[in-house]
Amino acid sequence: MPRTPQTSLLIKALKRSLKAHGITYVQVAAALDLSEASVKRLFSEESFSLQRLEQVCALVDLSLTELARSVEDGIDEIRELDPAQEQALSEEPRLLLVFYLLLNGYTVDDIIREYQIEELESIKILAQLDRMGLIELQPGNRVRLLTSRFLTWRDDGPIRRFFDERVREEFFESRFDQPAETLKFISGMLSRPSLRLMERKLSLLAQEFNELARLDSTLPLSERHGCSVMLAQRVWAFSMFSRYARAGDKKA
């Protein structure tokens, strides 16, 4: 396959997919019956044949069409809304719901079928999202997103305040003891360099979650489940412990 800008985008998308699925160059080499060095050279030189590209895609259950779509989804996307857009979403629950569902690959028919939103109301909501510049409403009530599916909400914005007031407490109203649920609280004492390293690792984990969501977006809704992951880190001392510390030495 000739090396072109589009080829580079495909290879980068494929590398992200392999990383998200935990597939190593050693495993790719075994699947292609090549040495690890040869596989690394294929990726660095972006010199895949279509057959080999399909073989690697198969390792993550991805077709070439789906790979190309993942590239298209990542080009020229709005990744952060302006304050007015966030404010409008936070003030109207149904507007926020429909936008959230569209971000997760729902069609208008899916929304009407699964939620208490009738067709006429859905059209009004879609028209409002169109006026806000978040979607392009097309003939037949088809929708083209004008934003990334994986938005970054403003740290001091309306959606973050909505999260703090409504979502966070409800999320933790669980024992996290059901299938596919987990809660791990870890506490210790780290140096500043280690804290920065942990921050980078959490950021990478968030990227991997988004990549898996991007890949799974091609699956039927019946095979996907709403899931939230909360990642947090702070320099902090539990008040019950810190009240016993001597003045100026509250590190526990």
Side-chain angles (χ1 to χ4, degrees), residues 16 56 60 76 140 153 160 195:
R16 289 197 305 269
V56 179
V60 289
D76 296 332
W153 303 113
R160 176 59 186 268
L195 287 169

Side-chain angles (χ1 to χ4, degrees), residues 7-199:
T7 302
S8 295
L9 291 172
L10 284 171
I11 301 304
K12 287 178 182 177
L14 182 56
K15 288 172 72 174
R16 289 197 305 269
S17 300
L18 291 170
K19 183 176 181 181
H21 283 82
I23 304 294
T24 65
Y25 282 140
V26 173
Q27 291 168 292
V28 175
L32 299 182
D33 196 23
L34 295 172
S35 67
E36 183 180 359
S38 295
V39 168
K40 288 181 178 179
R41 187 162 56 251
L42 283 176
F43 277 98
S44 65
E45 296 177 357
E46 298 175 351
S47 56
F48 282 86
S49 66
L50 281 176
Q51 181 181 1
R52 279 183 171 161
L53 193 61
E54 285 182 320
Q55 287 177 299
V56 179
C57 284
L59 294 175
V60 289
D61 294 323
L62 195 65
S63 70
L64 287 177
T65 300
E66 291 165 340
L67 180 64
R69 178 181 169 184
S70 74
V71 171
E72 291 174 359
D73 285 347
I75 297 175
D76 296 332
E77 295 175 327
I78 298 170
R79 296 187 177 274
E80 183 178 85
L81 306 188
D82 64 39
Q85 290 170 323
E86 283 202 10
Q87 187 66 42
L89 290 172
S90 68
E91 290 175 348
E92 298 187 43
R94 291 195 172 213
L95 187 69
L96 179 59
L97 169 63
V98 170
F99 184 53
Y100 169 80
L101 295 174
L102 293 173
L103 290 176
N104 282 277
Y106 275 67
T107 65
V108 177
D109 288 341
D110 293 331
I111 294 171
I112 294 171
R113 183 176 61 253
E114 297 194 11
Y115 289 86
Q116 297 176 34
I117 297 176
E118 302 304 324
E119 183 176 7
L120 182 59
E121 183 182 9
S122 74
I123 293 172
K124 291 179 180 178
I125 292 173
L126 293 174
Q128 185 174 352
L129 291 171
D130 182 276
R131 290 193 298 272
M132 292 169 62
L134 301 181
I135 67 168
E136 179 185 289
L137 183 55
Q138 300 177 338
N141 291 335
R142 290 181 296 108
V143 169
R144 184 172 78 89
L145 285 172
L146 299 180
T147 73
S148 168
R149 293 182 183 274
F150 310 107
L151 290 168
T152 299
W153 303 113
R154 293 173 174 271
D155 288 341
D156 58 347
I159 296 295
R160 176 59 186 268
R161 290 195 294 273
F162 176 83
F163 169 83
D164 289 340
E165 294 167 4
R166 300 283 302 277
V167 180
R168 182 168 55 188
E169 183 177 351
E170 184 174 321
F171 180 77
F172 281 107
E173 290 177 354
S174 170
R175 294 180 59 84
F176 294 92
D177 57 359
Q178 298 301 306
E181 292 186 355
T182 184
L183 173 65
K184 299 185 186 301
F185 179 78
I186 306 168
S187 187
M189 300 186 72
L190 298 179
S191 65
R192 289 292 175 183
S194 293
L195 287 169
R196 289 193 293 270
L197 178 60
M198 280 300 303
E199 193 173 1

